[in-house]
Amino acid sequence: DTFLQPTACHATPDGNIVIADGHWPRPKANPQDRDRLVWFTRDGKFIKEFGRHGQKPGEFIGPHGLAFDSQGRLFVADRSNNRVQIFDKNMNFVDEWRHFGRPSGIWILRDDTLIVSDSESNRAIPGATDAADSSLPVRNPGWKNGIRIGSAKDGSLKQFIDGTQPEGLAADEMGNVFGGLTGGCDQSKSGGCLQKFVKK
């Protein structure tokens, strides 16, 4: 019943709540042993937890976003592992997709359009010492920051919104995409702002 650093929260198809826990970089104080998904009822009663720290299927390093597709499959933005992991309704591993960059945010529309934000690729970001790219000067080298749009059905990529550093992400059924920028925006002193991208 204690979180390390919750990063995402989503309603489940059956009306409960699932929370991603385990942000990187970690706080300096203990505990450090959290990279998991936690389920609660809608009134806050603990149901179960799933996953642990690691790089194997069903393991996470910094799960950072959650979304469900039309089949009830759970898509997890496993950010520090540079992948999207997909699980069925019983949390059996289905697949992992590494061609959506280093995912921070994830959103799925009713037609299974998959939208993934990437604010950290090719940047010097501190992280887990046992991540695959931990020995490199930058995370997920060679990839661009931006928003990738594709299909949750087959994983195909269809569009890329370049020139932005979006961490938070949302979209509406009209195809508008909202990115919460962590940098590169001249609207505020912090370099962060909310941008809206309109489908043309």
Side-chain angles (χ1 to χ4, degrees):
D1 63 353
T2 301
F3 290 106
L4 175 66
Q5 284 187 306
T7 55
C9 178
H10 204 291
T12 65
D14 60 2
N16 292 313
I17 301 164
V18 59
I19 299 169
D21 189 27
H23 190 268
W24 285 92
R26 292 284 201 246
K28 293 181 180 178
N30 287 329
Q32 299 288 310
D33 59 344
R34 295 285 196 272
D35 281 292
R36 61 186 180 146
L37 308 180
V38 189
W39 279 257
F40 290 89
T41 63
R42 68 183 73 192
D43 55 355
K45 293 176 182 164
F46 173 83
I47 299 173
K48 64 181 179 180
E49 69 176 6
F50 174 83
R52 62 181 182 176
H53 181 88
Q55 299 179 38
K56 295 177 183 176
E59 297 178 344
F60 309 101
I61 304 180
H64 207 273
L66 304 166
F68 289 91
D69 71 0
S70 63
Q71 300 176 50
R73 299 184 305 174
L74 176 59
F75 286 61
V76 181
D78 187 10
R79 183 164 76 174
S80 293
N81 279 322
N82 303 325
R83 65 184 177 181
V84 173
Q85 287 199 70
I86 307 166
F87 301 92
D88 69 14
K89 296 175 185 179
N90 299 312
M91 290 308 293
N92 296 308
F93 176 79
V94 174
D95 205 352
E96 66 175 25
W97 294 344
R98 295 183 177 270
H99 55 287
F100 281 86
R102 184 177 176 88
S104 285
I106 189 165
W107 200 273
I108 300 177
L109 300 179
R110 283 195 296 263
D111 66 357
D112 282 328
T113 296
L114 173 62
I115 308 167
V116 179
S117 62
D118 179 348
S119 64
E120 291 193 353
S121 281
N122 217 36
R123 295 177 63 199
I125 304 288
T129 56
D130 60 343
D133 55 10
S134 61
S135 63
L136 303 175
V138 297
R139 302 290 171 244
N140 206 25
W143 288 78
K144 287 179 137 184
N145 299 146
I147 298 172
R148 291 171 177 86
I149 302 172
S151 170
K153 293 178 181 176
D154 60 14
S156 59
L157 280 170
K158 299 178 180 177
Q159 293 174 294
F160 179 63
I161 300 172
D162 196 1
T164 185
Q165 295 176 19
E167 184 166 355
L169 176 71
D172 63 29
E173 293 299 325
M174 294 183 290
N176 299 311
V177 177
F178 303 86
L181 275 62
T182 56
C185 183
D186 59 6
Q187 302 295 317
S188 67
K189 292 180 181 179
S190 70
C193 63
L194 178 68
Q195 283 188 340
K196 177 181 178 182
F197 303 91
V198 179
K199 187 174 181 180
K200 291 185 179 179

